[in-house]
Amino acid sequence: MPFTSRRGDRFAPRLALLLLLAVSVLSIDATAADKGQPVADTMVVLPGKFTLSGPVSFQKLLPGLVHDGRFAGTPTGKLDWSSSNPKVVTITDGTARPAGDGQATITVRHGKLTAKAQVTVADFARPVAWDFRIHVQSVLTKSGCNSGACHGALAGKNGFKLSLRGYDPLSDVRTITRQNRGRRVIPNDPGRSLLLTKPTGAVPHKGGVRFEEGTLEYRVISEWIAAGHPAPADDGPRIRRLEILPADAVLKPGTNQQMVVRAHFSDGHSEDVTRWAKFTSNNTTVADIDDVGRVAVTGHGETAIVAWYLSNNVVASLSVPYANAVADEVFNKAPRSNFIDGLVLEKLKGLRLPPSPRAGDAEFLRRATLDTLGVLPTPQEARSFLDDTAPDRRSRLIEKLLARPEYVDFWTYKWSDLLLVNSSKLKPPAMKSYSKWIRDHVSANTPWDKFARDLVTARGTTHTNGAANFFVLHRDPADMAETVSMAFLGMSIQCAKCHDHPLEKWTNDEFYGMANLFSRVRFKTAPEGGDGNQSIFTTTSGELIQPRTGKPQLPKPLDGTTIPLDAPGDRRNHLAGWLVAPENPYFTRAIVNRVWANYLGTGIVEKVDDLRLTNPPSNERLLARLSEFLVKNRFDLKALIRLVMNSQTYQRSSR
């Protein structure tokens, strides 16, 4: 079944950058760059091909040096811009603006380096019409008017309440234009509208001045009011994806880099929305970013730059290699046991970090035993292992650890903690049944997909089917949806219960669609008797109401397909099919990341229950390959653990 990525695809930006490079890079006559700049093989201008739609459209262009196939920063010094046809498009200070319909080429020169961008201008004669969903909401959001500290608060401010970050535009239009006798907007004299006099400071405003008269922000709102403050059309353009440029860059400390954000809409047009986007850096010790999208590199390492616009997120990766002089042969000659080592060494090489030496046998024994069994090796076990000189002693130790009963004890505890098994809501017989169910699956090395499927579709009495206790611990459909998401997808969707998730792509509607899959789960005292024995079953009726609309949301797994409200059968089976499908990236990546964190001390995504788009993995290729490995091995967790423990990466010293 399909898995959409309309709110940003973490894999697409690098592919897009490569395509742009192919479009916009020209051959060069010189190989030397200006002093103090990165060595450049070529120069590129981003975006390399774009369309300006309408008379007020514009596009900021980014010239960039390219070294070893990666964007290496915007060149400093003089840049010469030119347009092949100023009657179609003009270029001023790196910003392209339309002048008439047609096509043109923009050229930028820096010394002997040259790059070009292909531009198409369409609908230049079309009257300007600001869309509330796209443009007015952008102004209100960027200005902070609908933030949680202002009118986006649960109770609003001073009787004026907007949806948080504009997730409900139709409600916001009604509030702005109809509430309070409509005095917030005056179409025949927009300048007197409270929607303009308050944020510009013309009348007292506790929020202070948010924008000035004469700015684009002022123009958007005033012209929208003058046009009769129309609500967004049902068939109007909707945002489909965000693009950030450069999507992947290698920079140096002390340098700056402007970022550009483009929004692509359902009607095919695109806009430069950098002005309206909100920016954050995941690691400000490496680089920080200001409100206009300008990055300041402050240290070494890696960080993700996150751009948010209209409930959508997109992420760029910035790498700042350390100043270490490490010869390539250090990485080329480093031992490798499996694909993990090659991918880790590749990452270390990119950051110029030499790999640690191999851990001694004593260190490895202690580490492997603690990580796998949760206990220290006994003195006898230590002496036996340290006296062993066979080349395969470590791999044999790993097999012994995986076969020991303490392995079952340790991982039963781990999964019980993950599933929030506790005695506050379960009586002793139910606790015993639930713990035994988990333990039996760990002992049998049940594939993780079957473990998850059996749990989310559990039915029967809680004393005979321990998995049914999951629904005793989480009785509310919203709680069930959140717990399943956290345990098996490694992400929290709790924020989307009240509003669109600010840090992820999940919407308020998607949360209630997910929760409605559990709305027909029922409980009753089991006929076998008391002592907490309950029977879990499903009915053929019952819906969870979406508070915002007052109607039930169509049942739908987060990225899955909807099912009709009157569809027969247990809705949880539809959820389980989506949840454990090999093509579901969240399910496999979540368990791979948890296992990796147990053995390496830190997840590839940290924290392990925060696998959101805006918190990208430290090594995307490694996480993807490990996920592929687990799927190919039919979700065999011991196979995954064995692979990790046998890698040279795991067996390196922590020093």
Side-chain angles (χ1 to χ4, degrees), residues 478 480-486 489 491-499 501 504 506-507 510-512 514-515 558:
M480 296 175 192
E482 167 66 10
T483 304
V484 167
S485 176
M486 185 71 80
L489 304 177
M491 63 178 75
S492 172
I493 58 173
Q494 186 68 31
C495 286
K497 183 178 181 180
C498 300
H499 49 77
H501 201 305
E504 251 297 355
W506 313 122
T507 66
E510 286 170 326
F511 178 91
Y512 280 94
M514 177 81 163
L558 292 177

Side-chain angles (χ1 to χ4, degrees), residues 60 62 142 217 257-261 272-280 289-295 305:
K60 177 69 176 177
L62 292 180
K142 182 68 174 186
E217 288 81 359
Q257 176 61 54
Q258 178 65 47
M259 308 298 290
V260 166
V261 180
D272 183 338
V273 296
T274 309
R275 184 186 188 101
W276 317 118
K278 289 179 176 288
F279 297 95
T280 55
I289 187 167
D290 62 18
D291 288 342
V292 298
R294 187 171 176 82
V295 172
I305 297 297

Side-chain angles (χ1 to χ4, degrees), residues 378-396:
T378 66
Q380 181 179 354
E381 290 167 347
R383 281 193 295 270
S384 176
F385 180 71
L386 295 178
D387 289 341
D388 191 345
T389 59
D392 64 344
R393 60 187 178 281
R394 294 194 178 190
S395 60
R396 286 189 289 107

